[in-house]
Amino acid sequence: IWFVWSNVIVASVFSEWNPIESPGLLPLVLVICCIPKPVLGIFANKLYLYQAKRKIIAIVRDPNKHESREAEIAAAGGTNMVLPLTVLTLPYLLALIAGLFFFFKYYLMFNDALEKATVTTKTAVTNESKAPATQTTAPAKWESTDRINILLLGGDSRKKDEIHSADSLMIVSIDPATKKVKLLSILRDTYVKIPGYGEDRISKAITMGGSSLAMRTVEEWAGIPIQYYVYMNLPGFINLIDVIGGIDIEVEKDMNYVDSNDDPTSIYQIHLKKGYQHLDGIKALQYVRFRHDAYGDFARTERQRNLLKAVAEELKTKTTITEIPKLIEAIGLYVETNLNVDDMIKLSKLGFEIDTDSIDSIQLPPMELLQMKSVNGKDVLYVEPDQIQSYVKSVFNDESKTQGD
C-alpha cells in the first residue's frame, strides 16, 4: 500500500513540477508519501494476526485436511523474501531513474534558457537612439580582468516612456581580479560640465542627451571609463524589487513625507516605521527616496547604497545559478541598458563570487572636497574637477578604502 501510494503521488505531482517556481513542493510531497508508512507500521501486527487467523480457520474447517492440518498450517506460514526485497529495492531504483530524469530535464532547460533569455532594451525618449542587445550563448565566466564600471540611473518619472532628471546616480565598480566592489553615489545636485551643454546639475545630463550623455558626463567628471549603464524609472524600481521577492533591511528611523502635488493615497507618499523589516517594491522606493530630514540627499544616497548591498546579498543567498536567465528576463522588462544578455549572465555569475560584506560604500563628492555655490538663485554642490578625479583614483588604488558618511 505504501509503495503504490508514494509512487502514484510522486508520478502525478512531479510530472509538471518546476523546482524553481515551487521549491517547497518536494518536502511536502515526501511528507505525504511517508504518512502511510508509520500508519501501516502501527497496525502491522493486527493485519498479520487477521491474515493468520483467516488461513488457520480455513485449514481447520476443511474436513479433508483433518489429519494433516498441522503440516498445512506450517506450510502456510513462514516468510517469503522475494516480495519484501522487491518492495524495498524497487522504490530506490525508481527514485534513481527519476532523479536522473529530472537532472537532465532541468539541465537542458537551463541551457535552453541561456539561449532564449532576452532583455528589452528600451529607447530613451531623448535625442538618443540605441540598438537592442544582441542575443548569444553566454560563455562560462567574465574573461577580462579590467575594472568594470556600471552607471546606475534612477529616474524620477512615473510613466513608462518619460525621462525627467536622474533622481539617483551611482557607479558600481567591480574588480574581476580581486572580486572587490565599490559603490560610489553621486550627489544629484553636483554642478558639473555637461559635454556640449555647458554647466548644470549632473542629474540633468540624462534629460539633455539620454543615458549615453549621462555616462560621458560622469566619465569626464570622475576621470574613469564607464562601460555600461542601467536606467529605470520609479515604476520600474517597484517592479524590480517585487520580482526578487522584496528585501529585508533596517529602517533607521520613522520616515514620513506627503507630497502636496500627489494624491494623499498615492504610492509615492512616504510612510515607513523604524525597525528591521521586509520591504516590497513600494516600501523600498519610499526608503530610497526619503530625504526630508537634516541630512537630506547625503543620507539618502547612503540608504540607496545600503539597499543595493541588501539586494546583492538577497540575490546571492536566495538565487541559484540556474535561475539567473529567468531572473534577467523578468528584470529586463523594467530597465533600459546597453548590457547584452551574455554580459548580464556573466556579471551575475561573477556576483556569486563577491563577498557582499566587503563592498565599499563611497559618497561623491566627499564632504572634505565639497563647496556650496549659488547658481541662478539655487544652491548647488561643487568640487574642483582635478580634486574629484584625484580622489576617485585614490579610491580605486586603495582596495581597503571606504568612507563613513
Side-chain angles (χ1 to χ4, degrees):
I1 293 172
W2 172 77
F3 171 72
V4 173
W5 167 276
S6 60
N7 283 279
V8 167
I9 292 292
V10 169
S12 61
V13 172
F14 289 111
S15 59
E16 298 296 330
W17 180 54
N18 187 325
I20 295 174
E21 295 179 353
S22 307
L25 186 60
L26 178 59
L28 176 63
V29 170
L30 290 176
V31 169
I32 294 174
C33 290
C34 291
I35 286 175
K37 200 171 185 181
V39 173
L40 292 176
I42 292 171
F43 294 100
N45 285 339
K46 292 184 178 180
L47 289 171
Y48 185 76
L49 179 60
Y50 171 81
Q51 173 78 341
K53 284 182 176 180
R54 186 181 64 84
K55 287 191 174 185
I56 291 172
I57 291 172
I59 294 172
V60 169
R61 289 179 178 177
D62 189 344
N64 297 323
K65 297 181 179 179
H66 182 74
E67 298 295 333
S68 61
R69 63 185 184 183
E70 291 187 7
E72 291 286 345
I73 291 173
T79 57
N80 183 339
M81 294 304 296
V82 176
L83 182 60
L85 286 175
T86 302
V87 172
L88 289 172
T89 305
L90 194 56
Y92 296 104
L93 181 61
L94 291 176
L96 176 62
I97 295 172
L100 292 173
F101 169 76
F102 285 112
F103 171 78
F104 285 111
K105 176 182 176 181
Y106 290 104
Y107 175 79
L108 293 174
M109 282 177 59
F110 171 63
N111 284 339
D112 184 59
L114 288 179
E115 298 176 0
K116 293 183 178 179
T118 57
V119 174
T120 303
T121 302
K122 304 180 183 72
T123 302
V125 295
T126 59
N127 58 357
E128 169 185 34
S129 178
K130 286 191 173 293
T134 57
Q135 178 181 320
T136 58
T137 301
K141 64 178 181 178
W142 189 271
E143 296 88 354
S144 174
T145 57
D146 295 337
R147 182 177 288 275
I148 310 158
N149 296 319
I150 305 170
L151 179 62
L152 303 186
L153 297 161
D156 60 3
S157 60
R158 304 179 184 186
K159 296 181 181 179
K160 181 178 180 182
D161 296 322
E162 182 179 77
I163 292 184
H164 295 161
S165 60
D167 209 33
S168 61
L169 301 94
M170 189 184 304
I171 302 170
V172 180
S173 186
I174 308 168
D175 187 339
T178 63
K179 307 298 188 297
K180 299 291 185 181
V181 175
K182 295 184 184 294
L183 302 181
L184 301 96
S185 294
I186 303 174
L187 298 172
R188 66 176 187 169
D189 290 331
T190 304
Y191 200 65
V192 302
K193 179 181 179 182
I194 300 176
Y197 292 88
E199 292 183 319
D200 207 329
R201 289 180 175 86
I202 198 168
S203 60
K204 297 294 183 182
I206 193 171
T207 66
M208 299 173 181
S211 301
S212 61
L213 181 60
M215 287 175 61
R216 184 180 169 193
T217 301
V218 173
E219 277 186 333
E220 295 190 4
W221 177 74
I224 58 173
I226 304 291
Q227 298 92 347
Y228 306 107
Y229 76 89
V230 176
Y231 169 84
M232 71 184 71
N233 60 11
L234 302 186
F237 178 88
I238 292 173
N239 285 302
L240 185 145
I241 296 298
D242 286 339
V243 163
I244 65 174
I247 198 72
D248 295 324
I249 203 163
E250 179 74 32
V251 178
E252 68 272 19
K253 64 174 76 175
D254 288 345
M255 299 179 185
N256 292 285
Y257 176 74
V258 177
D259 190 334
S260 58
N261 296 319
D262 279 334
D263 183 281
T265 62
S266 169
I267 61 173
Y268 299 110
Q269 306 291 12
I270 300 174
H271 299 289
L272 288 177
K273 292 293 185 181
K274 178 181 178 181
Y276 186 79
Q277 57 196 280
H278 184 80
L279 303 181
D280 61 10
I282 293 174
K283 293 294 185 181
L285 180 64
Q286 295 177 18
Y287 175 76
V288 297
R289 290 186 67 220
F290 183 75
R291 62 185 178 92
H292 304 280
D293 58 13
Y295 300 101
D297 205 38
F298 300 98
R300 179 170 70 165
T301 57
E302 182 181 6
R303 281 191 288 272
Q304 290 169 355
R305 295 192 299 274
N306 290 341
L307 183 120
L308 189 60
K309 289 195 286 186
V311 168
E313 181 64 25
E314 181 83 7
L315 291 174
K316 185 176 178 181
T317 56
K318 297 185 179 180
T319 306
T320 64
I321 292 289
T322 57
E323 295 175 280
I324 290 175
K326 184 177 180 180
L327 183 62
I328 288 175
E329 187 173 11
I331 290 175
L333 299 173
Y334 310 112
V335 301
E336 172 203 333
T337 181
N338 62 342
L339 278 161
N340 60 40
V341 177
D342 289 358
D343 289 340
M344 284 188 178
I345 294 175
K346 288 186 289 184
L347 286 172
S348 299
K349 291 181 179 179
L350 179 61
F352 278 86
E353 303 175 32
I354 292 170
D355 179 9
T356 53
D357 291 333
S358 67
I359 295 177
D360 290 339
S361 179
I362 311 291
Q363 172 195 292
L364 296 179
M367 296 298 292
E368 63 267 24
L369 299 181
L370 271 180
Q371 303 176 35
M372 300 296 296
K373 281 190 175 184
S374 179
V375 178
N376 298 326
K378 294 184 178 180
D379 292 333
V380 296
L381 306 174
Y382 182 76
V383 62
E384 294 293 340
D386 58 337
Q387 289 183 328
I388 190 63
Q389 291 176 15
S390 177
Y391 179 80
V392 172
K393 184 178 180 180
S394 70
V395 168
F396 285 174
N397 288 339
D398 183 0
E399 287 301 329
S400 63
K401 189 178 184 68
T402 187
Q403 179 188 73
D405 294 333

